[in-house]
Each structure stands twice: as C-alpha cells, then as structure tokens.
Amino acid sequence: VLLTGRRPYGRGATTPREAARSVLEETPSRPSSLAAEPAGDASWLATRKRLAGDLDTIVLKALAKAPSERYGSVEALAADLRAHLAGLPISARPAKWRYVFGRFVARNRLAVAAAALGGAAVLAAMTLALWQAHRADRARELAERRFAQVRQLAHDMIFRHHDEVAMLPGSTATREAMLADAVRFLDGLRADELA
C-alpha cells in the first residue's frame, strides 16, 4: 500500500473476513502490474517503471505465503532495500551472471561506455592493421612476380639474344654494352631486394 496506494490482494474485499481470506489464499500482485487510479495517471506510470524489477521482487518475497520463502529478518529486508538503492544485486533474486552484470553496468555506466568505446577502437585498429597487412602481402607478391619477370627478361637478353646478336658482324661492342647494362640492372634489383 505504501508503494502503490493499493493493497496487493483483497482489493475487492468488502468485509474483514473477505480481506483475511484473501491474505491467506490469494497470490499477491506485482506492485508494478497494478492499474493506476485514476486511470492513465502519468505519475503512476513513472512509479510503475521504478517498481518493476528488484522492488517487485523484494515486495513479493516479503509477502510470500510460506515463511521459508520470506525474508528471515528485518535486517535481511533492509539489506536488500539498501542494495537496491545502491544499484547492487539483491539477495531475493538468483545471482545469474546477466543480472549481476546488468547491476554492474547500471552502477558504472560511464566506465562501461568508456570500456566499450575503447574495445571498439582496439577492434577497429586491429581490423585496419589486418587489412593493411593483407594489402602489403599482395603488394609483396606482385613485386615478387615482377622481379621474376624481369629476371626472365634479363636471362633472355644475356643468353638467348646475346647469342643471336653474336652472329652479326661488328656486334662485340653491342654485346658488351648489353651485358654491362644487364649486369648493372640485375645488381640494382639485387640491392633493392636486400634493402
């Protein structure tokens, strides 16, 4: 009644006997599920939202029919109310990881948001690094193919074309120049490869 302005059970009871029977026999309603009076009251909608979750659970545990299902003492009830106000997990709910994590996130919104942002930044940086490594591998493969093609060209110039030019009269100077150019070119490629 303090939270909602309505009784958790026996709302239709007109006599003390009916009210007592409803306490013994009816299952109490969740405070957040009770209808507002008057209907559509905007402040009740805000109150209802605050009651949903842990406060509903605390109230229902306090109103449980079986003594073993209720709080063992006023201190236990007070401890759960303090935990709820502090945003900590309450003892009336099972300590499942999603619930405990949800309470942690609710208490540490800024830190969790910063950690999530940091994690997203690390993931983005890793993705960028992998993409760049992939591009570098492709560039290296292309360079290796080009180098192999140039080596083949140099090989053809030195061994195949050199021999064909050798049959021409006065080709000795041209052959020496071709060989010197090929050696200089291959030395340059070798120096680039080692660097």
Side-chain angles (χ1 to χ4, degrees):
V1 177
L2 291 174
L3 294 173
T4 64
R6 307 198 59 210
R7 292 185 298 216
Y9 29 59
R11 287 180 295 282
T14 55
T15 66
R17 183 180 179 111
E18 288 177 356
R21 185 188 54 74
S22 66
V23 168
L24 295 173
E25 296 173 3
E26 285 184 26
T27 302
S29 303
R30 286 190 167 277
S32 64
S33 68
L34 297 175
E37 287 186 18
D41 181 12
S43 66
W44 170 245
L45 295 176
T47 301
R48 186 180 198 171
K49 193 173 186 178
R50 284 194 313 266
L51 291 174
D54 284 350
L55 280 178
D56 272 345
T57 304
I58 291 169
V59 169
L60 290 178
K61 182 168 177 131
L63 295 175
K65 300 290 182 208
S68 62
E69 295 175 7
R70 290 192 295 255
Y71 285 101
S73 66
V74 174
E75 290 81 19
L77 172 62
D80 263 1
L81 289 172
R82 281 191 296 275
H84 169 70
L85 291 173
L88 297 168
I90 61 171
S91 67
R93 291 186 79 161
K96 293 183 179 174
W97 74 268
R98 287 181 63 162
Y99 170 66
V100 173
F101 183 70
R103 296 283 85 209
F104 176 80
V105 169
R107 281 191 322 272
N108 302 291
R109 289 182 198 276
L110 188 59
V112 170
L117 187 60
V122 167
L123 184 61
M126 286 176 50
T127 302
L128 180 62
L130 288 173
W131 177 70
Q132 288 178 338
H134 176 69
R135 284 189 60 193
D137 284 345
R138 289 188 61 191
R140 183 185 47 77
E141 289 169 4
L142 179 63
E144 287 174 357
R145 278 198 310 269
R146 295 290 183 250
F147 181 71
Q149 290 168 347
V150 168
R151 283 179 56 181
Q152 184 62 44
L153 175 65
H155 180 270
D156 290 347
M157 281 181 61
I158 293 172
F159 295 106
R160 199 174 72 179
H161 300 304
H162 177 267
D163 293 342
E164 291 173 7
V165 172
M167 302 300 175
L168 298 174
S171 64
T172 304
T174 304
R175 288 185 320 175
E176 285 177 2
M178 254 176 54
L179 286 174
D181 288 345
V183 167
R184 194 171 42 255
F185 182 75
L186 288 175
D187 285 344
L189 287 177
R190 180 169 164 68
D192 287 345
E193 188 180 53
L194 295 175

